[in-house]
Amino acid sequence: TTYSLANYKYINSLEGSWKYATFLANLTGFLLMKVFGGNMIMMNVATSMFILITSGIVLFALRKVIPVPILIAGELIAVGLCWCPSVILYNYISYLLLTAACLFLFFGMLNDRKRLMFLAGICLGLNFFVRISNAAQVILILWVVFAHFAKKNSVRKETGGTGLFSAIGMCVTGYLAGALCGFAVLF
């Protein structure tokens, strides 16, 4: 548990990959350490909020898609499997941003909403700076391609559906915007 807390406390001493590989997670932890004075109990409470927020957005977003009792049971199981200490923010911020990106992509393609696809890209772009290995999450763009071809052409023509290249362009633009925001904070 104290591994991440030490990174947050001594963020200015970190060098090389230690500083950049989990930059936004370390910066968030550093700011929380400042707010709560480094109190370990308060840090556990504060960082547990990322788990609560993640499960809350899933419950809020999917309550009309999945029956609520099943959704709550799934949420309880998922939260119960959070074995890693909550102060290790590079895990839980990654989960939060990935969850938000998946929900934005799902509802963006389901309802032909370009703005949601852009927001999904922003989440994924920011997630790159939470943990560098999150760069592989860009493969979620395949959902956009799959969803586009899974819809019937007649439905897309009647509703004026989002074109494939337009949808991909919005996701990529959002990804670049999120990555540029993370890059700007870094430097």
Side-chain angles (χ1 to χ4, degrees):
T1 301
T2 59
Y3 157 77
S4 287
L5 292 173
N7 282 346
Y8 308 153
K9 183 172 177 74
Y10 302 109
I11 192 169
N12 295 324
S13 301
L14 296 176
E15 295 178 358
S17 65
W18 289 104
K19 183 173 186 172
Y20 303 116
T22 57
F23 177 71
L24 285 180
N26 287 337
L27 182 62
T28 303
F30 171 76
L31 295 173
L32 289 173
M33 290 279 281
K34 291 290 186 190
V35 170
F36 296 107
N39 182 304
M40 188 179 278
I41 293 173
M42 290 306 297
M43 284 298 290
N44 276 310
V45 170
T47 56
S48 293
M49 291 299 124
F50 288 98
I51 299 169
L52 180 65
I53 292 167
T54 303
S55 61
I57 64 170
V58 169
L59 183 62
F60 179 75
L62 296 177
R63 72 187 185 284
K64 294 180 182 175
V65 178
I66 299 172
V68 173
I70 293 173
L71 191 57
I72 290 174
E75 292 274 354
L76 290 173
I77 292 168
V79 170
L81 292 172
C82 290
W83 60 270
C84 189
S86 64
V87 295
I88 302 177
L89 288 176
Y90 62 77
N91 286 330
Y92 294 109
I93 295 174
S94 291
Y95 301 156
L96 172 62
L97 290 172
L98 178 61
T99 299
C102 289
L103 289 170
F104 284 139
L105 281 174
F106 176 72
F107 287 108
M109 289 307 294
L110 187 67
N111 301 318
D112 289 321
R113 306 269 315 264
K114 290 182 183 180
R115 184 175 54 108
L116 294 178
M117 291 179 266
F118 180 77
L119 291 173
I122 286 178
C123 290
L124 294 173
L126 284 172
N127 215 3
F128 175 74
F129 286 94
V130 172
R131 183 170 50 194
I132 297 296
S133 61
N134 290 343
Q137 293 171 358
V138 77
I139 199 77
L140 285 173
I141 198 74
L142 291 178
W143 163 254
V144 175
V145 175
F146 171 77
H148 178 80
F149 287 114
K151 289 183 175 184
K152 293 180 181 174
N153 286 332
S154 62
V155 172
R156 204 174 311 113
K157 287 177 185 172
E158 290 173 13
T159 61
T162 305
L164 176 61
F165 294 113
S166 175
I168 290 173
M170 288 304 289
C171 290
V172 170
T173 303
Y175 186 88
L176 292 174
L180 286 173
C181 288
F183 193 72
V185 171
L186 180 65
F187 290 101

